Amino acid sequence: GAVVSQHPSWVICKSGTSVKIECRSLDFQATTMFWYRQFPKQSLMLMATSNEGSKATYEQGVEKDKFLINHASLTLSTLTVTSAHPEDSSFYICSATPGLAAKETQYFGPGTRLLVL
Amino acid sequence: AQSVTQLDSQVPVFEEAPVELRCNYSSSVSVYLFWYVQYPNQGLQLLLKYLSGSTLVKGINGFEAEFNKSQTSFHLRKPSVHISDTAEYFCAVSVVGAQKLVFGQGTRLTINP
């Protein structure tokens, strides 16, 4: 149980284009989802927290107009990297918490590797 | 604010040897503690967690960890490692009642035959 999927698993795009990454909780309803960014050989950096039906809360230093997050349902959150540039190339990982019964535990997706040329 | 320090960035061990990955945290309030494992090019998998109760926590794949409040530590141990345990291990904390995780820098465990 507590499976989180991400799509796509990897994406290559041209500089200036936008890329959408989906995060789905497959067997539970996720009231809260998180988006992280991970650079090679580094730890995870929290980008934002999203709650279903409300605006995402961004961490300091993360541009909310560049990284658009939508959490339209209890099983789906999306991250859109707008006008991507090479410095946005990274590994993006989402996580989800299964609601009030186990809200302290985050279950992670497999990650999406983005390469911007 | 909370912080997590993983004292070793890399730990090489021989197969079937015991291993301990060290984690210390700093917090002025009560926390939950977690260990996650990340295999190459994959997301994170929960190994174990401490929420309350017994300070010795058993997780998947034969791993266990002990919460030591006085030393603010949550070290991860396995009595006998396998080649398949080669991965990056992350210690993380969250404040009780909150959801945001704070991660350590990770420890790369390399198992040599």
Side-chain angles (χ1 to χ4, degrees), chain A residues 32 34 36 38 41-44 46 49 51 59 91 93 97 103-111 113, chain B residues 6 32 34 36 38 41-46 49 51 88 90 94 97-101 103-106 108:
Chain A
T32 305
F34 303 84
Y36 295 85
Q38 184 180 33
K41 300 187 186 300
Q42 294 188 26
S43 189
L44 279 72
L46 179 65
T49 302
N51 291 293
E59 295 299 300
F91 193 48
I93 307 176
T97 55
K103 64 177 182 178
E104 75 289 330
T105 303
Q106 293 183 28
Y107 295 92
F108 286 79
R113 190 163 300 282
Chain B
Q6 291 183 241
Y32 296 136
F34 305 82
Y36 286 89
Q38 184 178 35
N41 298 310
Q42 295 186 29
L44 275 65
Q45 181 180 4
L46 180 65
K49 60 185 177 182
L51 304 181
E88 189 86 16
F90 291 97
S94 67
Q99 293 180 297
K100 191 181 296 188
L101 281 174
F103 284 90
Q105 288 302 303
R108 181 168 298 276

Side-chain angles (χ1 to χ4, degrees), chain A residues 2-4 25 27-34 50-52 71 73-75 95-107, chain B residues 32 34 49 51 97-99:
Chain A
V3 179
V4 177
S25 55
D27 52 3
F28 65 97
Q29 293 187 326
T31 52
T32 305
M33 288 184 167
F34 303 84
S50 74
N51 291 293
E52 185 265 338
H71 193 164
S73 78
L74 286 172
T75 59
S95 71
T97 55
L100 295 177
K103 64 177 182 178
E104 75 289 330
T105 303
Q106 293 183 28
Y107 295 92
Chain B
Y32 296 136
F34 305 82
K49 60 185 177 182
L51 304 181
Q99 293 180 297

Side-chain angles (χ1 to χ4, degrees), chain A:
Chain A
V3 179
V4 177
S5 71
Q6 281 184 243
H7 178 80
S9 56
W10 59 271
V11 57
I12 300 174
C13 70
K14 292 181 179 180
S15 185
T17 61
S18 294
V19 174
K20 180 184 284 188
I21 302 169
E22 292 186 350
C23 176
R24 292 182 185 272
S25 55
L26 300 185
D27 52 3
F28 65 97
Q29 293 187 326
T31 52
T32 305
M33 288 184 167
F34 303 84
W35 287 95
Y36 295 85
R37 186 172 180 177
Q38 184 180 33
F39 291 104
K41 300 187 186 300
Q42 294 188 26
S43 189
L44 279 72
M45 180 190 80
L46 179 65
M47 300 174 66
T49 302
S50 74
N51 291 293
E52 185 265 338
S54 61
K55 289 184 178 180
T57 301
Y58 291 81
E59 295 299 300
Q60 191 172 8
V62 178
E63 299 176 60
K64 62 180 181 181
D65 294 330
K66 180 168 187 61
F67 299 99
L68 300 179
I69 292 172
N70 183 277
H71 193 164
S73 78
L74 286 172
T75 59
L76 173 65
S77 176
T78 60
L79 167 68
T80 301
V81 184
T82 61
S83 187
H85 289 95
E87 58 265 30
D88 298 324
S89 298
S90 191
F91 193 48
Y92 292 88
I93 307 176
C94 73
S95 71
T97 55
L100 295 177
K103 64 177 182 178
E104 75 289 330
T105 303
Q106 293 183 28
Y107 295 92
F108 286 79
T112 296
R113 190 163 300 282
L114 170 64
L115 177 60
V116 184
L117 302 177

